[in-house]
Amino acid sequence: MSNLALYPVGLFFVLSAAHFARSRIDSRATARYTCYGTALLGAALLVLAPPTIRAVQGTGVAVLAVLAIVLGDGLRDGAAAAIRLLAPALRAADAAHAAQAGNAEAAGNAARAVHRHEVRGGLALLGTVLGLRLALIAAAAPGLSGEDLTVGPELSARLALAGYTAVGMLHTTVCLVALLREMVRRARAAGPGRLGTGLRLLTGGLVAGLLWNAWSMDDVLRAAATGIQDGPEDTLCAVLGGLCAALIAAGLGSTLWPAAAGAVRGWVRAHRRYRALTPLWRDLHTVLPQIALDPARRLPLPPRDPRFALYRRIIEIHDARLILRRHRDPRTAQWLDQATRRFPPPCDHAAATAEAAALAAALELAASGAVPEAAVPEAVLSAAPGATATDTMDGEAEHLAHLARVYATCPAVAEVRTRARAERARAASAAGALR
């Protein structure tokens, strides 16, 4: 199982690259280098995992396994270069923010610190490292014995193999130290708090990466002394890589989790309110199908975006309340007074009960297609549908959810609905008799 440990670590970095590719980071360069670094590191770990090397070795072509190891090392070198370029990219982002704030001196200093030659220098260093490592591995001409790279007993071959590993280790160390210095500076400037904690955890992840990289010294010494070197990553590398990934995940999580948790809470709250409006919306839509902004939508299906669906449902309910203004029954106040004597509502439900009762009576009248001829008293107008308004969507959603609960559960509202339905039936019978 330890041989498989590198796969989840590699997948973590690959999936992190996908996340950064879709994230909205202020600096495009920062997002780009972060994406490159995590993607290349994840790919390197997947290629250098022992099961991968064994699978390539199983093809029977030994040189393919050696090339796979060289490819994995090259991917790791590319990841280290991208990580190093994060430092000037972060300073460039600081310069841009300082310029926006009008601090010309700070902007100028930061701009000079992130001069383009840093990026060119990093790319030139990467090219030099890749070229030198290819020359050294070609001079060593290693074979594969089991999972280990092996060379002949000649001192030159052993030194070439050791130099191949040493160059990669030194390059990675230089790159990690460059970013580590920047992260330490930022962590000190951030001080205590969620951001500072996240930066310190990310700094710890870089330190774990340095320890992970330092373990390559064992391969250098072993190659120089015996001409044998581990080809794929070993179990200790998997442990150090897992520690590095865990610290980076914790660092990112400490800054991203509150926003993610808030988004989840908002999604759940919007979904609950959306479902709470369902009984009221269903009755309104049955009588007034024209209020539906999306006629093709099926009610039982959960919405993909509950906040947008909730906003649309609020608009539809408001449209229905406006339509029902012309169907308000002047007898609603009398019916409600009689109903509340039998079923007195709680004090905090009194206004919602009056509004829900007026809504229920108007809906029954609208279902018959009739419009009352008598004038509507002021008392009923104050409790009429649509009389209450709030300033925000959340406030309106909360008000309508409360109104929907009262509409569906209050006995006084049910009593008014029953009276209005009986009057509708009586009116229909009288109209039938006249015909």
Side-chain angles (χ1 to χ4, degrees):
M1 292 297 294
S2 61
N3 288 337
L4 299 176
L6 281 175
Y7 283 117
V9 179
L11 286 175
F12 166 79
F13 286 112
V14 171
L15 293 176
S16 297
H19 164 73
F20 286 118
R22 299 180 60 185
S23 64
R24 296 180 179 178
I25 301 178
D26 290 343
S27 170
R28 293 183 179 179
T30 302
R32 183 168 61 251
Y33 294 136
T34 304
C35 181
Y36 290 164
T38 51
L40 290 172
L41 181 56
L45 294 178
L46 295 177
V47 171
L48 293 174
T52 303
I53 300 302
R54 284 198 295 268
V56 176
Q57 194 176 9
T59 60
V61 184
V63 70
L64 289 181
V66 175
L67 290 177
I69 294 172
V70 173
L71 172 63
D73 290 338
L75 290 172
R76 191 161 52 182
D77 291 335
I83 290 172
R84 181 178 183 271
L85 292 178
L86 266 175
L90 289 170
R91 290 194 292 271
D94 288 344
H97 289 307
Q100 291 177 359
N103 191 341
E105 183 179 357
N109 294 334
R112 284 190 293 270
V114 294
H115 195 269
R116 188 169 295 180
H117 73 82
E118 292 193 45
V119 176
R120 293 175 179 173
L123 295 177
L125 178 62
L126 174 60
T128 302
V129 167
L130 291 177
L132 183 57
R133 296 193 80 186
L134 287 175
L136 288 170
I137 199 67
L144 206 61
S145 176
E147 297 178 356
D148 297 333
L149 290 174
T150 61
V151 295
E154 297 84 4
L155 179 61
S156 59
R158 287 185 280 124
L159 291 179
L161 182 60
Y164 168 80
T165 305
V167 169
M169 184 190 70
L170 291 175
H171 173 249
T172 302
T173 300
V174 169
C175 294
L176 288 176
V177 168
L179 182 58
L180 181 61
R181 292 174 59 187
E182 184 67 23
M183 296 303 295
V184 168
R185 183 184 67 81
R186 288 172 175 270
R188 289 176 178 174
R194 189 168 61 239
L195 177 59
T197 300
L199 290 172
R200 282 186 283 275
L201 288 171
L202 290 172
T203 301
L206 291 175
V207 172
L210 281 172
L211 294 176
W212 181 11
N213 179 64
W215 183 243
S216 299
M217 182 57 68
D218 174 70
D219 290 335
V220 175
L221 298 177
R222 186 182 178 195
T226 65
I228 300 174
Q229 175 188 303
D230 291 336
E233 299 279 11
D234 55 20
T235 302
L236 182 58
C237 287
V239 173
L240 292 173
L243 177 62
C244 178
L247 289 172
I248 291 175
L252 293 174
S254 65
T255 54
L256 297 178
W257 171 249
V264 171
R265 286 195 299 269
W267 187 94
V268 172
R269 183 167 57 248
H271 185 76
R272 290 179 61 183
R273 288 173 174 172
Y274 176 85
R275 303 307 300 178
L277 297 182
T278 296
L280 176 61
W281 181 90
R282 183 188 294 115
D283 287 358
L284 294 172
H285 181 259
T286 300
V287 178
L288 305 170
Q290 66 270 27
I291 66 172
L293 299 176
D294 184 9
R297 172 148 186 88
R298 300 284 183 178
L299 180 62
L301 296 178
R304 294 182 180 179
D305 184 355
R307 285 191 63 84
F308 178 75
L310 175 64
Y311 179 67
R312 181 174 58 198
R313 180 152 289 186
I314 289 173
I315 293 176
E316 292 171 345
I317 291 176
H318 271 301
D319 289 344
R321 295 163 86 190
L322 290 174
I323 295 173
L324 289 176
R325 284 180 178 273
R326 60 192 297 267
H327 295 282
R328 289 177 299 211
D329 197 304
R331 295 166 293 182
T332 301
Q334 178 184 355
W335 294 340
L336 180 61
D337 183 60
Q338 296 172 356
T340 52
R341 290 177 186 176
R342 294 182 57 193
F343 309 104
C347 295
D348 56 341
H349 287 190
T353 301
E355 187 175 357
L359 187 63
L363 193 60
E364 291 296 330
L365 193 63
S368 66
V371 178
E373 298 179 0
V376 181
E378 275 310 308
V380 179
L381 284 175
S382 63
T388 304
T390 54
D391 295 333
T392 64
M393 191 189 82
D394 286 340
E396 185 63 20
E398 189 63 32
H399 167 70
L400 288 179
H402 179 58
L403 177 64
R405 285 192 296 270
V406 173
Y407 174 86
T409 61
C410 181
V413 174
E415 181 75 11
V416 171
R417 184 185 298 110
T418 301
R419 291 289 301 273
R421 192 167 296 166
E423 291 297 329
R424 187 182 73 177
R426 186 179 298 111
S429 300
L434 290 176
R435 291 177 185 175

